[in-house]
Structure formats: C-alpha cells, structure tokens
Amino acid sequence: MSTTTPTTPAGPKFYEQTWDLSYKHALGETTSRFLGALTEGKILGRRCPVCERVIVPARSFCDRDHCATTDWVEVGTTGVIEMFTVVYEPFKNLPAPPYALAYATLEGADTALVGYVRGLDLSDQKTAVAALAVGTPVVVKFSDSPTGTAADYWFEPAAGAN
Amino acid sequence: MPPGTDPPAPRPRVAVLAIRREATAREEDRSLEEMIFEVAHDTLADAGLSQATVGGVVLSGNDQSDGRVISCMTSAGPAGGVDSDVTMIASSGEHALAYGWLRLRSGQGDTVLVIGWGKPSEGVNPDYAELVSAEPYVLRAVGMNDTIAAALQASRWTDPATAGDTATVSWPLTADDLPRRGDVVVAAVLAVEGTFSPGRELAWVRGAGWSTENYELGARDVGAQTALDQALAHLARGADSAPAPSTWDSVEIAAPSEPAAARAAGKLGLPTHATVNGSGSLHERLAPAHIAGLDRLLAAAGSVGPGTGTAAGVGFNGFAGQGATVMVFGAPGTKEGVA
Ligand SMILES: [Zn+2]
C-alpha cells in the first residue's frame, strides 16, 4: 500500500448545523401546584415527615430521607439571602448583564429558593454586593402578569435593609 | 465470616501503566473521533497493548457539549472498543477511572483503557448548552450554568466588605478564578499486578472514594463541600487502607473555582510540604468540566515518583461541586506503593 497525497483540492473544513429540538416536560402534581400558587402570589413548600424540613420549592419527596413529603405549607414572602452573585458576563438566554441572582430562605422554609434580585442599583460593584450580603433580608415580589413559571417572582431588598 | 464459607478472594492490586493527554484551546484540523483515536491508540501502545489485547474500554464524554447522542456509539470505534467491551460513564470522567479500577479489582479482566474527552469548540456556544443542566421545572426558568453556580458557592466564603470590586465574570469571580474549557482528550491504561513487568507501572492505585450531595443548591450548604467529606469517608472505608490526606505529598484538584479548590485543599489537612495543583491552576490547565476531574486524577497519578510517594486527585462534578471523587496513587517500584 502506498501513501500518496490526493490531487483533489481540500474539501470543506466544518459541517455547521443547528438543531431545533422541542421538549414538553411533565411537571408532576406537586410542582404544578407550586407554580400555580405563584400566580396567586403564594410560595408553597412541602414538609418531610422524617426530617420535618419544609422544602421549597415544593417537592413530592425528600431526597435526604428518601420518603414522600406529606403536608403543604405556605411559607412567608420575606426571607434572608443565603448566597448571591452579580453576573457581569453575557450568557445567551440569560438576562443582559449586570444582574443579581440569589438563593433566599423564606420565613417558615428550611431550604432556599432561587430568584433574581431586582430593585438594586448595580452600577457600582462594591455598593451592589454590600446590599446583597449573605444574611440580608429580602421580600418576594410577584409579577402582575404571571405565566405559571419561576419567572413569576423575584426578590427585592426588604425596606430598611442596608 | 460464617463457618464453612470460603475466605474472600484477595483483591488484585491495580497499577497505572500509561497516561496520555492532548489539550489545545481549539482543534480545528482534526475531528473529535480522530483525536480520540490517536490518544487511545498511543496510550494502548505505551502500555504494550492494542485494541486486540486490551481487556475493556471505559469512556467518558458529554453529549450535551459534544453534540453527539449517544456519543459512546460513535466513539467506541476510535477508542478501540469495537468487538470489545465498552462502557460509557456519563456522570463524570473521574467516575470512569473509578469504574475502570473497580472492574479490575473485581476480577473483570486484567487491563482496561479509560478515556475521556471534550471538544467544546464544536459547540458554537457551550455556555448555552450548559443551561440544560438546570432541572426543567423551576431552575430552568431562572437559568443556571457552572459559572454562576460557582460564583454563588464562592459568595459563601467572600465578604463583600473586603472583596474589592474586581469581579469581572460573576461576583466574586474573575476569569482567572474559573476553569477554562479546551479541546481535550485524556486517557490511561490500568492493569492488574502480575500482568506486566514489575517496574513498568507509573503509579499504583491506592484507593478511591466518591459521593454525591443534593442537586439543589438551595437544599445544601454549598460552602461546606460535604460531598468531599463524604468521598474521603468512602475512601477511608475502602478495603485498601488508602493513605490518609495527612500523608499526601501532592494533590491535584479540579474544582468549580479557585476559591473552591483552596477551600477543598484546606479541609484535607495536608502536610505542610504538600503541593496543590502543581500541574497548573484551573485557568491554566485546559479541561472541559466533565473531564476536569479525570484529568486531575491522572495528573496526580503521573506525579508520583522520587520525592512524591503519594499523590491524590480530587474531582468535583455538578453545580457547585454536587459530587466529589478522591483517588490516591502510590509511587511505582514499591510493594505497597509507598516510597
Ligand atoms: Zn426529610
């Protein structure tokens, strides 16, 4: 067998494609009710009968104890920030930067809920992150035109915070 | 042991015979399959093996970033797995190495090729592809990727009052704090003691442990890195009497961010002479997230020798290090792998 270089010119270097795949994920009864409650301005959790934690967002099972959760609990719309960030890099399909994102534990809940933090001036980094420090109180705000998704709520600094 | 039962069969010791790594920011002249073929072929050859003689092949790729589903099917051939025994470990590359080791320990063959890859340059927007890692019920409507999760975790350790205003990607992180992707293939051949000439080994596998925490960032203390504690406990429970972190000479850590790597190194209780990430910072050493742990485990295996009797690799996988894996390697040429 001989090794030769073909006399034909090199062909294309890439094969570029875009796929448009669609999904329709079944939410299950528990998440459905959680999302439905958002449209009424309520945050719902579920209590684990073993560890007694109120899990928010509501889940039908506690993965720590591997048992079904039992009771619905409406938690408060005030809470404290557990972790946060201000995003400066643009990411496709996420908001135009800068924007603030946090996890906050709401009153009566034992796990933290994710949400954007609005109502803050993000133009100065030091000032912005000081206003978001872990432990800062926040309130949940709800959209006037809810869609039944987690985009229906966000956090704002509680009046008097900082 | 109940009377009348046979004693358990001794578990074979397993060595690392060969390690290969190919990493570049963008590989545009070779296909992913060509890269896999070359690294697999050369790693097998380094170990004195071929597709015809290797006992099994374990793969680790990430379909979401590579754009091939199920990529173990298209990659079985280039990895040397045709007419052989191929398994793909999708959870994370470091689990592929642990699984390859377990295969040999359990008596399933004498040799195994473990190979992991990522070619994110082929995904026109790998950050966008990463958004599907968010569960599709609540989190996806908000959005989450590895970078933002790493920043949320780092906020648990960073005081805004003293942090300055230097964050450029996602507070408190800059690009230098974050892992850098690249087009990377890493591979190793593991072999059972007695099936190769003594002294040919690069390292002995001394033990491994791994664990996974809750997926949801809000349902765990992401600052605590509990999965690492659990992985270390798993390591200590193993049948191998693996050397404890207090005796490690070096450790290679793949973490979501530099603060997370520093935090993990701190909780290990290493001896003062131990080196951490001697193979490069997270930003320097290119690795797509799902094989960053495998890459660091193999960097640790490759680092043992004179002056480094014991080295360990630590890999995290999932948002903000949901899972952690630890694997410990001993220097070649010694009976128990201890220099
Ligand atoms: Zn529970």
Side-chain angles (χ1 to χ4, degrees), chain A residues 99-118:
Chain A
Y99 54 93
L101 189 73
Y103 277 78
T105 301
L106 303 179
E107 204 180 334
D110 292 289
T111 63
L113 180 68
V114 64
Y116 290 105
V117 188
R118 299 191 182 131

Side-chain angles (χ1 to χ4, degrees), chain A residues 13-14 16 25-27 31 34-35 53 56-57 59 63-64 82-89 91-94 99 101-103 110-116 124-126 129-130 133-134 149-151 153, chain B residues 27-29 124-125 127-128 131-132 135-145 147-148 151-153 155-156 158 160-172 214-220 222:
Chain A
K13 195 162 175 174
F14 300 105
E16 200 167 337
H25 299 292
L27 295 166
T31 300
F34 171 80
L35 295 174
R53 290 183 309 158
V56 175
R59 299 297 192 201
D63 55 12
R64 191 176 287 179
E82 301 287 350
M83 53 187 151
F84 72 95
T85 185
V86 179
V87 181
Y88 297 99
E89 183 167 317
F91 293 109
K92 183 180 174 183
N93 252 43
L94 294 182
Y99 54 93
L101 189 73
Y103 277 78
D110 292 289
T111 63
L113 180 68
V114 64
Y116 290 105
D124 178 69
Q125 186 173 110
K126 273 192 92 69
V129 299
V134 172
T149 73
Y153 68 87
Chain B
E27 172 55 69
E28 298 192 334
D29 293 323
V124 174
N125 192 332
D127 286 315
Y128 183 49
L131 296 180
V132 234
E135 51 82 355
Y137 313 108
V138 176
L139 187 57
R140 210 176 279 177
V142 175
M144 187 60 63
N145 62 24
T147 300
I148 295 172
L152 289 163
Q153 180 185 41
S155 79
R156 297 287 298 175
T158 312
T162 56
D165 56 358
T166 55
T168 51
V169 176
S170 189
W171 191 90
N214 187 299
Y215 169 82
E216 292 184 61
L217 300 178
R220 58 182 152 111
V222 297

